[in-house]
Amino acid sequence: MQYKVGDKVKVRNDLEVHKVYNSVVFTEKMKKFKGKTVTISRVTRYNDYLIQEDGENFAYSSIMLELKQT
């Protein structure tokens, strides 16, 4: 597990819709979070991440995210 609940991360800006990242598909509805800072709200049993800002609707793999630099 790379990130933990409460971590502030950035959704990578270079993600492509319909492309698979570590078995997670980046969807059209996830696109609005590209480049945004979001908060990890839950880690799934598959070590994917749910974020607070989208109401935990979509899973993000670790390679879709970057640790927010302070």
Side-chain angles (χ1 to χ4, degrees):
M1 174 174 57
Q2 187 170 352
Y3 305 112
K4 61 185 185 312
V5 172
D7 280 352
K8 296 284 187 188
V9 295
K10 181 177 153 188
V11 178
R12 283 182 31 204
N13 223 1
D14 61 346
L15 300 174
E16 297 176 32
V17 173
H18 305 300
K19 187 170 178 183
V20 178
Y21 298 89
N22 282 359
S23 75
V24 177
V25 177
F26 187 72
T27 69
E28 184 72 35
K29 291 184 179 183
M30 297 163 83
K31 187 169 75 170
K32 67 182 172 185
F33 295 102
K34 284 173 61 169
K36 303 266 194 257
T37 298
V38 296
T39 308
I40 301 293
S41 57
R42 195 161 56 122
V43 181
T44 72
R45 65 181 173 155
Y46 304 107
N47 287 325
D48 295 325
Y49 302 92
L50 302 180
I51 62 170
Q52 192 172 296
E53 290 75 8
D54 74 0
E56 296 187 346
N57 285 319
F58 303 103
Y60 296 78
S61 65
S62 61
I63 65 170
M64 297 166 95
L65 306 169
E66 303 172 331
L67 194 56
K68 178 70 177 160
Q69 300 299 322
T70 56

